Amino acid sequence: MFFKKSIIALTGLFLCVFLVVHLSANCILLLPEDIARDAYNSYSTTLRESSFIKIIAYILYVSIIVHALYALLITLKNRKAKPQKYVLNHSKENSAWASKNMGILGTLILIFIIIHLANFWARIKLGLGEEVGMDAFGHKDVYEVTYSLFQNIYFVLFYTLISIPLALHLHHGLKSAFKTLGFYHKKGLQIIAKIALIYAVIMGVGFGIIPIIVYLK
Amino acid sequence: MKITFKIWRQNSPKHKGAIKNYEVEGLTEDMSFLEALDHLNELLVLKNEKVIAFEYDCREGICGQCGVFINGRAHGPHDNITTCQLHMRSFNDGDTIVVEPWRATSFPIIKDLVVDRSAFDRIIEQGAYISSKTGTAPEANAIPVPKAISDRAMDAAACIGCGACVATCKNASAALFTSAKINHLNSLPQGKAEEHKRVAEMTYQMEAEGFGNCTFTGACEVECPESISIINIAEMNARRIKSNLLGS
């Protein structure tokens, strides 16, 4: 089980790094439309054509699946260790809500990832659903896919609201991953806790606000 | 003061348990919580009813025998104390107090509020000891130990094995207990000889006993009467990785 926990921590940290790159790229969407379209499309074309990114993408898919699967197995084991709940339990007095509900938060994020992949990955990479057009430079118009999706207020709301469980999950996950992997320097852990908070806020606000800005563009 | 106790009653491991209500008068604020339970038991004896089974020994917070879930918290409403250190002045006249046994698969209920914590003993048996020559005690200062290390070992050694960490953990993880025992001995020169074996065998036993995994909610260190830091678990994890790579 310790091996599984370590793998959850390692894949989690990898996903944390991935999110930084993802959010940075999303910031292109904040530029004026004529610049943003070109920059976003050529960026995504570069990614699709890079064999290095191809390897990273496979590591990413495996990370998400393994992270979720091992977390599920560990949660089942943990439930077996405490099948009978207390009649009265004031656990909020000794621990944060998010730390006790990583499974629920993770499940919400997983549902989001599936919908998100259906919206983008399936259309752009697999060619499923409505065909993706080309821009003036002959690149797949990924900007248009994004822009048109965020003209739908329900998708904007969904993407924005899901950033809350994302931030909560990242905050606890980042803090815990280092402890799981055996980092036990007291001051270092205090610094990591602060970094985790700042990181979670930036990710939550960043991913949450961009769909709104695109909607209002 | 008058208190309504709602107490878990269970005849044996095989019987089904349930909460039973007791209205108790004549309690004073100076009473310890365990004295209040004693008082209730005296009343039950007078009424020819079965007394409530609960564990205790020293009643001064050092033995680790007492331990029940009181009003939704391990060892009651305060952080970092044992059940015997809780006094009735922490409650108000007319309050209702819910008392339950520790709940974990690895701590089966024996009777009422008494649970079987021998899983802890079996973890201890796997390596929470050192091998040393018997005979004349060696000179105390023969092995120099830096103050910072002896302090850390002492902090971990403070664990009294009460089980509050397991009781409060949503996963019933015994990581805080096991890490305290491992770090206590592994950080001292006397414990070095069996360092890797200790880590491997104690953590193996911890998992074999059916305790859950630590997910760092932090509840354990809040309820631990000895304020054992959760950083001990991170340190144990480092030792597990090290012993997996280097150990026999």
Side-chain angles (χ1 to χ4, degrees), chain B:
Chain B
M1 52 196 301
K2 186 183 164 192
I3 295 286
T4 304
F5 282 103
K6 286 174 173 265
I7 299 178
W8 185 265
R9 301 301 309 261
Q10 185 169 337
N11 256 334
S12 76
K14 285 175 188 160
H15 284 85
K16 250 187 116 178
I19 291 280
K20 211 172 162 190
N21 293 2
Y22 300 94
E23 289 201 359
V24 185
E25 289 183 42
L27 299 168
T28 68
E29 290 185 337
D30 300 330
M31 281 179 166
S32 77
F33 181 80
L34 293 183
E35 282 168 341
L37 288 185
D38 289 336
H39 179 74
L40 166 57
N41 271 347
E42 282 167 12
L43 297 175
L44 291 177
V45 169
L46 291 175
K47 284 200 275 182
N48 238 346
E49 284 182 35
K50 273 188 190 167
V51 294
I52 298 152
F54 62 95
E55 274 190 287
Y56 61 87
D57 189 6
C58 74
R59 298 207 179 200
E60 54 185 10
I62 55 168
C63 77
Q65 287 307 299
C66 64
V68 283
F69 221 72
I70 304 161
N71 271 359
R73 297 276 304 269
H75 292 305
H78 302 295
D79 296 354
N80 306 118
I81 62 162
T82 57
T83 297
C84 62
Q85 290 169 308
L86 176 67
H87 286 76
M88 294 311 288
R89 56 179 169 268
S90 299
F91 304 97
N92 298 315
D93 189 25
D95 273 4
T96 298
I97 304 176
V98 181
V99 191
E100 295 175 76
W102 290 166
R103 296 204 189 276
T105 305
S106 310
F107 284 173
I109 295 171
I110 298 171
K111 190 177 168 60
D112 297 336
L113 304 173
V114 180
V115 298
D116 178 1
R117 286 172 295 173
S118 52
F120 270 10
D121 299 336
R122 290 188 290 274
I123 295 174
I124 293 268
E125 282 165 18
Q126 294 304 312
Y129 53 81
I130 57 159
S131 301
S132 80
K133 282 183 184 165
T134 53
T136 321
E139 154 61 32
N141 294 320
I143 307 171
V145 181
K147 180 78 166 71
I149 291 178
S150 71
D151 280 353
R152 239 177 49 208
M154 194 60 212
D155 285 347
C159 169
I160 52 176
C162 67
C165 47
V166 172
T168 195
C169 176
K170 77 178 188 68
N171 308 325
S173 167
L176 194 68
F177 166 79
T178 311
S179 66
K181 298 298 169 198
I182 288 174
N183 296 340
H184 159 213
L185 295 176
N186 273 26
S187 53
L188 293 171
Q190 290 90 336
K192 287 288 177 219
E194 288 132 324
E195 181 181 12
H196 300 306
K197 186 172 166 282
R198 177 178 299 117
V199 176
E201 293 185 356
M202 287 182 73
T203 52
Y204 174 82
Q205 191 65 31
M206 173 181 81
E207 289 183 4
E209 293 291 345
F211 292 107
N213 295 275
C214 171
T215 50
F216 291 105
T217 68
C220 55
E221 67 173 355
V222 176
E223 304 299 9
C224 173
E226 299 301 325
S227 304
I228 308 280
S229 166
I230 200 167
I231 295 174
N232 275 291
I233 302 176
E235 187 172 346
M236 173 176 75
N237 289 346
R239 292 186 192 283
R240 286 182 90 169
I241 293 167
K242 195 173 149 197
S243 85
N244 279 339
L245 297 174
L246 305 175
S248 49

Side-chain angles (χ1 to χ4, degrees), chain A residues 1-3 5-6 73-75 77-96 98-103 172 175-187 189-190, chain B residues 8 10 19 69 71-73 77 79 98 100-106 109 152 166-172 207 210-219 222-223 230-231 233-235 237-241 244:
Chain A
M1 279 291 159
F2 180 60
F3 172 77
K5 278 232 63 179
S6 307
L73 292 175
I74 283 192
T75 306
K77 166 114 202 291
N78 291 347
R79 292 229 173 130
K80 244 166 91 184
K82 193 160 224 153
Q84 192 169 14
K85 302 292 172 212
Y86 290 102
V87 174
L88 184 66
N89 192 352
H90 286 164
S91 62
K92 65 173 185 294
E93 289 175 31
N94 56 36
S95 46
S99 74
K100 290 172 289 178
N101 292 285
M102 290 295 274
H172 180 72
K175 265 197 309 185
S176 304
F178 284 91
K179 286 184 259 189
T180 300
L181 295 172
F183 184 78
Y184 64 91
H185 187 275
K186 196 178 173 185
K187 281 215 174 100
L189 284 172
Q190 285 167 351
Chain B
W8 185 265
Q10 185 169 337
I19 291 280
F69 221 72
N71 271 359
R73 297 276 304 269
D79 296 354
V98 181
E100 295 175 76
W102 290 166
R103 296 204 189 276
T105 305
S106 310
I109 295 171
R152 239 177 49 208
V166 172
T168 195
C169 176
K170 77 178 188 68
N171 308 325
E207 289 183 4
F211 292 107
N213 295 275
C214 171
T215 50
F216 291 105
T217 68
V222 176
E223 304 299 9
I230 200 167
I231 295 174
I233 302 176
E235 187 172 346
N237 289 346
R239 292 186 192 283
R240 286 182 90 169
I241 293 167
N244 279 339

Side-chain angles (χ1 to χ4, degrees), chain A residues 49-114:
Chain A
E49 288 171 357
S50 158
S51 39
F52 170 71
I53 294 297
K54 206 167 216 172
I55 297 166
I56 297 288
Y58 281 115
I59 298 174
L60 182 66
Y61 307 146
V62 172
S63 291
I64 294 169
I65 293 165
V66 170
H67 188 85
L69 191 69
Y70 276 6
L72 177 70
L73 292 175
I74 283 192
T75 306
L76 292 176
K77 166 114 202 291
N78 291 347
R79 292 229 173 130
K80 244 166 91 184
K82 193 160 224 153
Q84 192 169 14
K85 302 292 172 212
Y86 290 102
V87 174
L88 184 66
N89 192 352
H90 286 164
S91 62
K92 65 173 185 294
E93 289 175 31
N94 56 36
S95 46
W97 184 85
S99 74
K100 290 172 289 178
N101 292 285
M102 290 295 274
I104 295 170
L105 297 169
T107 308
L108 288 173
I109 296 165
L110 190 63
I111 292 168
F112 165 78
I113 291 172
I114 293 165

